[in-house]
Amino acid sequence: MPTPTLAERYARARQQLDAVDQSHALNFYAELDDAARAQLLAEIEGVDWPEVKRLIRTHVKQKPMWTMPGNVQPAPWYPYAPPRDSSLHEKYDKARALGEQLIRSGKVAAFTVAGGQGSRLGYEGPKGCYPATPIRELPLFACFAEYLHNIQKRFKCIVPWYVMTSPINDQPTRDFFAEQKHFGLDPAHIMIFPQAMFPAIDMHTGKVLLAAKHSLALSPNGHGGSLKALYASGAIADMQKRGVEHISYTQVDNPIVRMIDPLFLGLHAMDDAQMSSKMLPKCEPMEKLGNFCTVDGKMTVIEYSNLPEELAHQRTPDGELRFRAGSIAIHAIRVDFVASLNTSADGFALPWNRAEKKVACIDPVTAKPIDPATPNAVKLETFVFDALPMTRSSVLYETDRQDEFAPIKNASAPGVADSPQTSKAIQTARAAAWLEAKGCKVARGAEGEPLAVIEIKQTTAIYPQDLQDIKTPAQINAGESVLL
């Protein structure tokens, strides 16, 4: 089939835009050179315009109001480790064995959501390229690759790795993987694909905004868009061809996340869940984590800003927060469940969420730059956790902050959480605890913090027991840097 000409593409774009009253997107087309025309047309071709028209009616011209559902209860969860006298010990042993068998038999794929840039970190480039570890400054993508090397060696298997980018960082991500020789992994088992973008819409006129004469004001369609991108990209079809049944979903900013966790996957599979999640016990009532709840018996995440304070502060008789299960975007998802979300008769099943934002743009008539002082636009996105209420069964499993949660989201500064500084401190603290469990003496400060910098490669160990047969220091003194 011959490649369509710019003229043919323009005619098709004009027809699409006229049908939804958005033809102003081509106002400056005649002024552009061919390269700029091609870019603009590619952006227009990547937008679901009938969906834009529908959402302008339902989410821009009117403001959907979130209402607190009735019958909200704390979600039940499996504890990080069963109590000493609990009958769960036997179930955990069976679940772990089942998870290991699923991995060994090629039934599990790794999925990394990596559409973000490192701009909040003062880093220009894909966030997955950001240096994350305390000593080697290993990039986030390389941390995950090391984990996969460990899992594949441990279980003598192949774990295909699917990486979702955004159009903003897709090519730089591909280039980085190529420059790094795919971190020693076989590129035949790595699939990189971008998520869809959605235009910002003027909240008063309902017109899509232009970032420049040759560009729409676009942003990613939210992490829920990952479930659509998996299907649209052909990743789900590729998984089905490989015999993959379960997707291990993680985000790009956490260098110590267990990308593939046999126990979690086993509990998920044993309970015949379609989508499962890990949770962290919240540090305090208003911690900025979504809250796992059940609503009419269905697993649901209620955003921290939506959970009423009186519920957030409720405590159990033993003093624990009643709503204490915080969402950290770690999921296990059945492949056939993702397929079902994308083949609904009513279209992609996840609900859209409205956010009012300040979006720099140009005037669609004069092309003069507009830098708004107040929100001028509606951005629409979907959230991956909104798939949970659509499941027939969902498992929630507790994890440990030091063991698995050291995200890098914000630039380092005094008192700022989830920064490179706090992440490296958690990585060192975890490494110190693992070494101390083996008998190593680690110098610690008055607050109990390690006074050395320690990094354990994920090819060396992903569990503390992995260190048992490895020569480790008997003592680590203050000021030392130790890499294992």
Side-chain angles (χ1 to χ4, degrees), residues 353-368:
N353 297 272
R354 169 189 167 119
E356 297 182 1
K357 300 287 186 179
K358 293 187 288 184
V359 176
C361 56
I362 63 168
D363 185 284
V365 177
T366 66
K368 288 183 178 178

Side-chain angles (χ1 to χ4, degrees), residues 10 24 63 107 118 126-127 144 147 178 189 199 220-221 235 237 250 275-276 299 301 317 324 336 343 361 393 405 422:
Y10 172 82
H24 66 284
K63 188 184 297 187
K107 303 294 187 185
K127 187 182 283 188
F144 308 142
Y147 193 97
H189 305 301
N221 60 359
T250 57
M275 179 175 176
S276 299
M299 187 74 74
V301 172
R324 66 191 289 252
D336 55 10
T343 53
C361 56
S393 177
F405 193 62
T422 59

Side-chain angles (χ1 to χ4, degrees), residues 370-385:
I370 298 171
D371 187 11
T374 57
N376 64 323
V378 170
K379 284 189 174 183
L380 295 163
E381 59 184 1
T382 56
F383 301 146
V384 70
F385 52 70

